[in-house]
Amino acid sequence: MSEAANLPLLKVNDIHVYYGAIHAIKGISLEVNEGEIVTLIGANGAGKSTTLNTIAGLLKPRQGSIAFAGMPVDGTAASKMVYKGLSLCPEGRRIFQQMTVRENLEMGAFSRPNEEVEASMERVYGFFPRLKEREKQVAGTLSGGEQQMLAMGRALMSKPRLMMLDEPSMGLAPILVEQIFNIIRGMNEAGTTILLVEQNAQMALSVANRAYVMETGRITMEGDADRLMHDDNVRKAYLGS
């Protein structure tokens, strides 16, 4: 077995990120192994989205390192990260409102060879049959749940090794939250490694293998997701019990 096979798929080491003079991320380290679902939970403003955006190449750490598939990637442009096998489904969906469902999905496939786009499309429709039904519909007219499915499907079109999901359940009715998390589980079982940022800590911990807890730009706890779900401090702070 090669050395690379023993390395985590993603390794973030002691990164510091600033917005101007504001020190938003204060030396966090985390790992995601191939095949896992890892979740990052914490209150609003803890730095979860900033962490994902930094890993994705949208922000540059002032200090620390990020390695993906054994190669250093800190400072790599976001578009290049997609070619390396990492995709981000951003908070707030950010779909192309004036384009159809199919056109949005095609935009997610910019890194794929033309001959593979149709197979990726069918794979996405397998996870999201509703998108197949709405294929020609203008994306801005979809319901909130359908727009979330479209954002996830678009991120999946690049056939990522690691898919990062930022608040996929935000603003959705409980029945849709359940559906979205079932799909996340299904995508993982089909071979996609997932790093999940989620306000709904209960759902996130129920689907994840491991978890990190963030508070004000630092990781304060980490470990097996099931163990953290039963930790008194986590329950009081994030699970309302």
Side-chain angles (χ1 to χ4, degrees):
M1 188 179 282
S2 70
E3 189 183 343
N6 295 319
L7 294 171
L9 180 59
L10 175 72
K11 184 174 176 66
V12 175
N13 185 45
D14 192 32
I15 61 167
H16 292 255
V17 183
Y18 290 76
Y19 291 111
I22 298 165
H23 194 178
I25 301 294
K26 301 163 185 168
I28 72 163
S29 299
L30 61 87
E31 293 183 359
V32 181
N33 299 308
E34 191 103 45
E36 284 189 309
I37 299 178
V38 174
T39 188
L40 201 49
I41 62 171
N44 267 336
K48 304 183 304 295
S49 294
T50 300
T51 300
L52 290 197
N53 288 335
T54 304
I55 295 166
L58 295 165
L59 296 169
K60 192 168 167 34
R62 195 177 290 184
Q63 184 182 324
S65 64
I66 302 168
F68 182 67
M71 302 296 290
V73 293
D74 31 296
T76 301
S79 57
K80 298 279 195 308
M81 290 298 288
V82 177
Y83 282 96
K84 289 178 184 292
L86 185 146
S87 71
L88 170 66
C89 179
E91 183 181 0
R93 296 151 200 164
R94 303 203 194 157
I95 58 169
F96 300 104
Q97 301 273 341
Q98 308 305 320
M99 291 181 171
T100 65
V101 165
R102 186 180 177 89
E103 287 166 342
N104 266 273
L105 292 175
E106 286 170 345
M107 292 295 280
F110 73 88
S111 64
R112 307 299 302 160
N114 287 341
E115 62 273 14
E116 292 182 16
V117 172
E118 209 50 50
S120 288
M121 194 78 70
E122 288 311 310
R123 182 167 179 259
V124 167
Y125 286 154
F127 286 115
F128 305 100
R130 186 80 58 84
L131 297 183
K132 173 80 170 166
E133 294 165 17
R134 304 273 192 271
E135 189 177 48
K136 295 185 172 69
Q137 194 168 322
V138 173
T141 65
L142 298 174
S143 70
E146 289 164 347
Q147 289 190 19
Q148 184 59 53
M149 290 176 191
L150 180 55
M152 289 166 67
R154 183 181 60 188
L156 200 57
M157 282 295 291
S158 65
K159 214 171 172 191
R161 284 180 73 182
L162 174 63
M163 185 167 171
M164 300 195 299
L165 296 164
D166 195 355
E167 303 286 7
S169 80
M170 187 184 277
L172 300 184
I175 191 161
L176 279 172
V177 172
E178 192 88 28
Q179 200 178 340
I180 289 293
F181 274 89
N182 283 336
I183 292 166
I184 290 170
R185 197 180 276 115
M187 291 192 304
N188 178 249
E189 286 167 358
T192 305
T193 303
I194 290 169
L195 177 56
L196 169 69
V197 156
E198 179 54 59
Q199 201 70 33
N200 186 333
Q202 181 83 41
M203 288 301 287
L205 290 170
S206 71
V207 82
N209 303 102
R210 292 188 305 107
Y212 293 87
V213 179
M214 273 193 91
E215 291 176 28
T216 56
R218 291 187 171 89
I219 285 171
T220 55
M221 292 181 77
E222 62 181 270
D224 179 77
D226 190 56
R227 183 178 67 77
L228 287 182
M229 195 190 285
H230 294 97
D231 181 278
D232 286 347
N233 294 324
V234 173
R235 293 183 71 81
K236 283 194 192 97
Y238 305 109
L239 303 176
S241 61

